[in-house]
Amino acid sequence: MQQLPQKPQGAVKGLVFYFREIIRFHDVGIPRLVEALFVLMLAVLFGSMLLISPYMTSLDKLYQGVTTGLTDAVDTQAAFTALESQLTPERVQALTANMAAILGIVLGARLIASVLALFYAYVWHLGRLTPGGAPLGMALRSFLKKLPRLAAVNLLFYAVLLVAGIALSVVFGALSLLIPLFAVVLYIAIPFLYLSVTGVFAFRNLSVLSGGTRVFETFRDTWRLTTGSRRTLIGNMVLLYVLGLIVTSLAGGNSAGAPAAAFVVTFLDVIMLLVTQRLVVRMYE
């Protein structure tokens, strides 16, 4: 497949410019595809919430036992004794297993949903560049062919982010022992830095899908594509994230019952995943 046209530098506009188009997540020219992807993403994400429910219940029981013992403690020594009695080797092992299961299920579901959302974005991007729309079969074959390279790019990207996040947490954690204010700075800084870095490199996936760049060349090309537009790009991604967070929080709080709230939040989460991908595509073009 020939290399697709690249976005001209400095072409990124503010979120308001794209808003009316990106919220039409149902419009990619292939209605059945959108419906299928939406249902699959909803099933994966909501199913993961149902799967982790027993593990969350076990963690809650352990937490209740620890807090009850600490509440009844009359001094520091009694608190340590209560904590030691609750955190037996068996319970620590169960705690570790439960947390590992929750993390594995959540990350696995998020990975599958992200791949589906990226395929959705790729189909829409191809359709906008191809007269008459891109054949679905061609898009699928091209996407699957480049999936290993996408995996390598994102594995490297998130590995670097993880190492940097741990290092930053250690530094700010040590400083917060001397100046407690650094704990507040850390709480605010890490999410903002994460959104900023992912915003600057938001074109990495489309760069792989649109061309034949190698793993390390992808980051160089993505950095070049965002020259002159990084502040706007970061602002768009942060603003959309905050907007989605507000909407899902309000919707979840207004739903009666935990399962209903979980379903509503997951439903909106899927919409935000698709809307975010549409925003990335429009800023990239």
Side-chain angles (χ1 to χ4, degrees), residues 125-144:
H125 181 52
L126 281 179
R128 290 171 59 83
L129 296 177
T130 307
L136 182 58
M138 181 192 72
L140 180 59
R141 288 192 298 271
S142 177
F143 184 82
L144 293 177

Side-chain angles (χ1 to χ4, degrees), residues 7-24:
K7 179 189 75 65
Q9 294 184 5
V12 176
K13 306 292 192 302
L15 180 62
V16 175
F17 180 83
Y18 306 110
F19 194 75
R20 290 184 61 183
E21 189 172 12
I22 65 175
I23 60 175
R24 299 179 61 190

Side-chain angles (χ1 to χ4, degrees), residues 57-72 86 91:
T57 301
S58 298
L59 288 179
D60 184 63
K61 289 181 179 178
L62 177 61
Y63 173 77
Q64 293 296 334
V66 171
T67 54
T68 299
L70 292 177
T71 302
D72 295 338
Q86 290 293 331
R91 288 183 176 177

